[in-house]
Amino acid sequence: MSEEKQKHEESNVTPVSALYNNWFLEYASYVILERAVPYIDDGLKPVQRRLMHAMWELEDGRYNKVANIIGHTMKYHPHGDVSIGDALVQLGQKDLVIDTQGNWGNTLTGDSAAASRYIEARLSKFALEVVFNPKTTVWQASYDGRNKEPVTLPVKFPLLLAQGVEGIAVGLACKILPHNFIELLEAAIEIVKGKTPDILPDFPGGGIADFSKYNGGLRGGKIRVRAKIEKLDKKTLCIVELPFGTTTGSLIESILHANDKGKIKIKKVEDNTSSVVEILVHLHPDSSEDLDRTIDALYAFTDCEVSISPNSCVIKDDRPHFYSVNEMLKVSVDQTMELLKLELEIRKSELMESWHFSSLEKIFIENRVYRDIEECTTWEDVLKTIDLGLEPYKGLLRREVTQEDILRLTEIKIKRISRFDAFQADEKIRNIEEELFKVENELNNIKGVTIAWYRNLLKKYGKDKERKTKIESFESIIASDVVVNNQKLYVNREDGFAGYGLKKNEFVMDCSDIDDIIVFREDGTFTVSRIAEKSFVGKGILHIAVFRKSDEDTVYNLLYQDGAKGSLMVKRFTIGGMTREKEYSITKGKPNSKIWYFGISGANDAESLQVILKPKPRLRIKNIDVLLNDILIKGRSAQGNIVSKYPVSKVVLLKGKAAVASSSADDSGDKTVSEKNNPTKPDSASKPPPAIVKSKIADDDDTADGEGQMSLDI
């Protein structure tokens, strides 16, 4: 092979990777445009549009077998009977554009429809009125060129928003939620009037929904939907409405799964659902859980609450676009107005044609123009003679006389000419003129016509279509606050381990396996971590407990020395949001800082302390009372207030309402704490949670007898 020929062949070679790229893009475009995403013009996917068109061709007022409808649709949609049947069942279950007969399944229980040979369907009166009009439809050839199908159907209603749609394409997804029929029409009227309404979804299964983050149905928005739960008695709950996208089967399965995991405690679940939802949840007779807490637990751990992320994607001008639901409604209203205007213009044109020929026919017969053709010998002479005979009267007409008009005149039968009644002809022309005048007025007031159209739909089809989903704003339920305590927290202080698997060690408190634990250490640091069977939390544990992020009533009280020779500081703080496993400091973080006191209280029931300073020449004040209730509560990062800049000898608890029992008391009656570095292990039976170490007081580390940090369990 010559070198030139080899180069020529190599230049014509296409790499396989290039073919793959092109094929993938073509396939992705095909799936997006022809399968998964609806068109904004009529709100239908191609398979739905072809189904509707096939049913319109079969329409005779009677029901048709679904199998027959599927077969007829395959002339337009060459993708198998299963996909067509599924699409038809989904349309039928939405109960808007298709009337159904037979077993079409149950959206509440998830039961499927019967076989296509057993069920029947026809177009609803609503669909026939708002979806179809051959005069305003743009047609295209079907896939095999044998038939004509609509490019889009001339829908004069926001069908896409009323029904909702969901589809998954290649690299693109669509999820538009259904909206209320009445609210859509009322909002459409508001748009025609120049206002900007805000519409929200309405689910056929009812439920309770929080739309505060709906974001107009665009990407990034979120809806939280809850089941409607009623209390039957002290130990029985009844679920009467389901969240959108769930069935009784999936909901019950999620409840049983949560019960098996120990998140909730129930005795049994009964499903009595038929035409309405009725799921009975029975609690144990000896259960101490109240119904409100159980309801919150159902929302937190089961499908009684679901989160829905909408994604309003549609096809416009053969490209995917992202519109908010309010924008889509505006597009629908504008299209409806244009279609109504087009229908009026078509009607006007038809009336003009009718008036023209009726007038031409009257002139032709009354003036006996037909007699002039008696002596004509050729067809051309006949047409020319009629045209000349009409010449004196053409000024009475509204347009020119065409050859087609003359041909129509030649088709008038002699019997009709002989029975011609000029009075009836004038009456017919007058009626046409009256209707033409009405149509012209409507064209000049197209907004009023559009409003009247929507109001007529509302009057005819709005019965029993009130909103079913209740709109509420509800706060998120923190799972750890409502979960059943199915574990116990233990701590090994010596080795620095904690968890629910250390059953031979010190008991702290009841907990669940999804709780977080907070651990304060003697070095002035603390961490929040997820509870585990056994995990290392650090040595020198000062305080350990279950951490409740939503607990704003727990106040931590701290008296510490800032560094080796720094000032004595006091602070009260709460702890809010934290990052798990991250170490935080409750002091300023200087080396050799010392905690003199650590305690936990409410906002107004903190202990009162007395700081005893070391003797020093010219030091007048040797004792300083610290009333913790008078200290302002701040965040954990606050440095605190200065109590004293002088060295501290010890800290004691003062008598009073906030004071607690201690190990010893001085002569004045003030309660002091003086224990060794290794405090006696507290008796878990006599120490109520939530804290294994309620308060801690330290003496001066520099005393001659070597006393170190002291602690008191309360």
Side-chain angles (χ1 to χ4, degrees):
M1 181 183 296
S2 65
E3 184 177 349
E4 292 183 0
K5 185 175 181 181
Q6 184 177 359
K7 289 183 179 179
H8 177 73
E9 290 185 358
E10 289 178 353
S11 64
N12 293 329
V13 173
T14 302
V16 176
S17 59
L19 291 176
Y20 286 163
N21 288 335
N22 293 336
W23 291 344
F24 181 79
L25 289 175
E26 291 174 2
Y27 171 71
S29 300
Y30 167 74
V31 173
I32 292 171
L33 297 177
E34 296 295 328
R35 301 293 290 272
V37 183
Y39 282 63
I40 195 171
D41 299 317
D42 56 9
L44 299 172
K45 297 179 183 180
V47 64
Q48 296 172 330
R49 184 181 306 111
R50 290 161 179 163
L51 258 171
M52 299 284 288
H53 175 63
M55 293 183 70
W56 179 74
E57 288 187 327
L58 294 172
E59 175 62 30
D60 58 2
R62 298 179 295 176
Y63 288 98
N64 287 283
K65 287 287 186 182
V66 167
N68 186 31
I69 297 173
I70 293 172
H72 196 73
T73 306
M74 291 185 71
K75 294 194 304 183
Y76 307 104
H77 192 72
H79 298 293
D81 57 336
V82 175
S83 62
I84 298 173
D86 290 343
L88 181 55
V89 169
Q90 291 176 10
L91 282 176
Q93 289 177 341
K94 292 176 180 178
D95 192 27
L96 185 60
V97 295
I98 294 179
D99 288 338
T100 60
Q101 184 168 274
N103 178 15
W104 281 69
N106 190 330
T107 57
L108 301 177
T109 62
D111 294 335
S112 58
S116 59
R117 61 185 179 275
Y118 298 126
I119 55 178
E120 299 175 324
R122 67 182 179 188
L123 292 173
S124 66
K125 293 181 180 179
F126 172 78
L128 292 172
E129 183 169 353
V130 305
V131 176
F132 302 97
N133 188 339
K135 296 177 182 178
T136 58
T137 302
V138 179
W139 304 90
Q140 65 182 358
S142 62
Y143 72 95
D144 59 0
R146 290 189 174 94
N147 301 281
K148 294 290 184 182
E149 64 174 329
V151 176
T152 57
L153 291 171
V155 179
K156 302 186 290 294
F157 175 80
L159 190 63
L160 175 60
L161 297 175
Q163 293 189 134
V165 67
E166 185 173 355
I168 300 176
V170 180
L172 187 68
C174 169
K175 191 178 185 70
I176 300 173
L177 303 176
H179 293 70
N180 182 261
F181 182 90
I182 296 175
E183 292 177 1
L184 284 175
L185 291 175
E186 291 176 344
I189 293 173
E190 294 295 306
I191 290 176
V192 177
K193 292 180 179 179
K195 300 179 181 179
T196 54
D198 188 20
I199 56 174
L200 296 174
D202 182 31
F203 306 119
I208 308 167
D210 184 350
F211 298 109
S212 58
K213 298 181 180 179
Y214 183 42
N215 192 30
L218 291 170
R219 290 178 297 180
K222 185 176 71 171
I223 298 174
R224 292 163 56 207
V225 188
R226 289 179 174 178
K228 184 178 180 181
I229 305 176
E230 297 178 348
K231 303 174 185 177
L232 292 187
D233 53 50
K234 294 182 179 180
K235 294 298 177 183
T236 308
L237 297 172
C238 183
I239 301 174
V240 296
E241 292 179 3
L242 301 178
F244 180 71
T246 64
T247 63
T248 55
S250 65
L251 186 65
I252 292 173
E253 184 178 351
S254 70
I255 294 174
L256 296 177
H257 180 72
N259 183 67
D260 293 340
K261 291 291 185 179
K263 308 298 190 229
I264 58 176
K265 288 185 178 180
I266 60 173
K267 181 181 179 182
K268 64 176 179 177
V269 180
E270 291 184 51
D271 186 8
N272 300 328
T273 302
S274 56
S275 59
V276 295
V277 176
E278 184 181 335
I279 301 175
L280 300 180
V281 180
H282 299 275
L283 277 64
H284 290 282
D286 56 348
S287 174
S288 60
E289 297 290 330
D290 59 27
L291 293 183
D292 290 331
R293 184 181 176 89
T294 302
I295 291 175
D296 287 344
L298 288 172
Y299 288 145
F301 299 110
T302 74
D303 286 346
C304 287
E305 178 181 325
V306 296
S307 178
I308 303 172
S309 298
N311 187 13
S312 298
C313 179
V314 293
I315 300 299
K316 183 179 181 182
D317 300 329
D318 291 331
R319 294 176 64 88
H321 290 79
F322 296 93
Y323 290 102
S324 71
V325 293
N326 298 316
E327 291 172 333
M328 284 192 282
L329 181 59
K330 179 68 168 57
V331 171
S332 174
V333 171
D334 292 342
Q335 177 177 291
T336 299
M337 193 180 300
E338 288 298 318
L339 287 172
L340 290 173
K341 182 179 180 181
L342 180 58
E343 290 177 356
L344 288 172
E345 290 173 344
I346 292 172
R347 180 58 182 160
K348 178 182 177 181
S349 177
E350 292 173 346
L351 289 171
M352 292 288 290
E353 283 298 310
S354 180
W355 182 92
H356 175 78
F357 188 75
S358 296
S359 300
L360 191 62
E361 183 183 60
K362 179 184 176 183
I363 293 170
F364 180 74
I365 297 175
E366 278 189 337
N367 296 283
R368 302 180 183 273
V369 177
Y370 57 87
R371 287 188 173 183
D372 298 339
I373 65 174
E374 293 178 354
E375 297 181 0
C376 295
T377 57
T378 65
W379 181 247
E380 288 77 11
D381 289 341
V382 171
L383 299 179
K384 186 181 296 185
T385 301
I386 294 175
D387 189 29
L388 290 174
L390 295 173
E391 191 67 34
Y393 311 102
K394 289 182 179 180
L396 302 175
L397 302 174
R398 298 185 180 183
R399 69 168 176 83
E400 295 181 357
V401 178
T402 64
Q403 188 172 7
E404 286 77 11
D405 295 332
I406 297 174
L407 290 173
R408 287 185 65 185
L409 291 174
T410 62
E411 295 173 357
I412 300 175
K413 296 180 179 180
I414 298 298
K415 184 177 181 180
R416 183 176 173 187
I417 294 175
S418 63
R419 293 184 177 182
F420 180 76
D421 187 334
F423 177 78
Q424 289 182 353
D426 290 338
E427 185 71 18
K428 179 180 179 182
I429 292 173
R430 188 162 46 251
N431 291 337
I432 293 174
E433 289 175 343
E434 289 177 357
E435 187 176 354
L436 189 59
F437 178 77
K438 180 181 178 182
V439 169
E440 288 176 342
N441 284 338
E442 289 179 342
L443 279 171
N444 293 329
N445 184 29
I446 191 62
K447 288 187 176 181
V449 171
T450 306
I451 291 174
W453 167 261
Y454 285 131
R455 286 176 176 167
N456 180 56
L457 293 179
L458 194 58
K459 181 180 179 181
K460 291 174 66 175
Y461 305 107
K463 185 179 179 181
D464 300 327
K465 287 184 168 60
E466 291 76 14
R467 168 169 281 276
K468 296 180 180 179
T469 302
K470 186 177 180 181
I471 301 174
E472 284 189 2
S473 179
F474 37 80
E475 296 182 357
S476 299
I477 297 175
I478 299 177
S480 59
D481 290 345
V482 297
V483 67
V484 174
N485 287 333
N486 55 1
Q487 299 289 352
K488 296 182 183 296
L489 175 61
Y490 301 91
V491 62
N492 182 337
R493 296 177 181 273
E494 183 178 353
D495 297 330
F497 286 93
Y500 53 79
L502 306 175
K503 297 183 179 180
K504 295 183 179 180
N505 292 276
E506 177 184 337
F507 169 73
V508 179
M509 60 192 304
D510 291 328
C511 64
S512 73
D513 54 8
I514 66 168
D515 279 332
D516 291 330
I517 58 173
I518 187 168
V519 179
F520 290 87
R521 293 181 286 269
E522 294 177 357
D523 60 359
T525 61
F526 78 93
T527 56
V528 174
S529 59
R530 177 72 77 183
I531 195 170
E533 186 174 357
K534 179 181 179 181
S535 61
F536 182 74
V537 296
K539 296 185 178 182
I541 297 174
L542 186 65
H543 167 73
I544 180 171
V546 171
F547 177 66
R548 305 294 186 193
K549 184 178 179 180
S550 60
D551 184 11
E552 298 179 354
D553 298 327
T554 300
V555 179
Y556 300 94
N557 308 299
L558 178 67
L559 195 67
Y560 72 96
Q561 182 176 321
D562 182 28
K565 297 182 179 181
S567 301
L568 183 67
M569 312 290 293
V570 63
K571 64 185 286 188
R572 303 186 73 200
F573 61 95
T574 58
I575 296 177
M578 306 297 299
T579 301
R580 290 193 186 99
E581 311 301 339
K582 182 178 179 180
E583 187 176 274
Y584 295 89
S585 177
I586 55 177
T587 66
K588 291 184 180 181
K590 290 184 179 179
N592 301 319
S593 294
K594 177 180 178 180
I595 295 178
W596 283 92
Y597 169 84
F598 179 86
I600 301 172
S601 67
N604 301 308
D605 60 353
E607 298 166 334
S608 297
L609 308 174
Q610 186 176 74
V611 178
I612 302 175
L613 302 177
K614 286 184 177 181
K616 190 174 182 181
R618 299 182 182 179
L619 182 63
R620 297 181 180 179
I621 301 175
K622 298 182 179 180
N623 300 334
I624 302 175
D625 292 343
V626 180
L627 307 180
L628 293 177
N629 286 332
D630 295 339
I631 304 299
L632 187 64
I633 300 172
K634 298 182 179 180
R636 59 166 178 79
S637 59
Q639 296 180 359
N641 303 330
I642 297 177
V643 177
S644 175
K645 296 183 179 180
Y646 295 102
V648 179
S649 174
K650 63 179 178 179
V651 176
V652 298
L653 299 178
L654 292 178
K655 286 195 308 183
K657 186 176 179 180
V660 292
S662 63
S663 57
S664 62
D666 59 14
D667 295 338
S668 65
D670 290 340
K671 296 174 182 177
T672 183
V673 180
S674 292
E675 294 183 359
K676 297 295 180 180
N677 261 334
N678 298 319
T680 304
K681 179 178 177 180
D683 181 6
S684 61
S686 62
K687 306 297 185 295
I692 195 63
V693 177
K694 175 76 179 216
S695 63
K696 169 206 183 306
I697 297 182
D699 274 347
D700 181 17
D701 286 339
D702 299 329
T703 53
D705 59 2
E707 289 184 341
Q709 292 186 343
M710 312 300 161
S711 64
L712 170 66
D713 294 336
I714 298 173

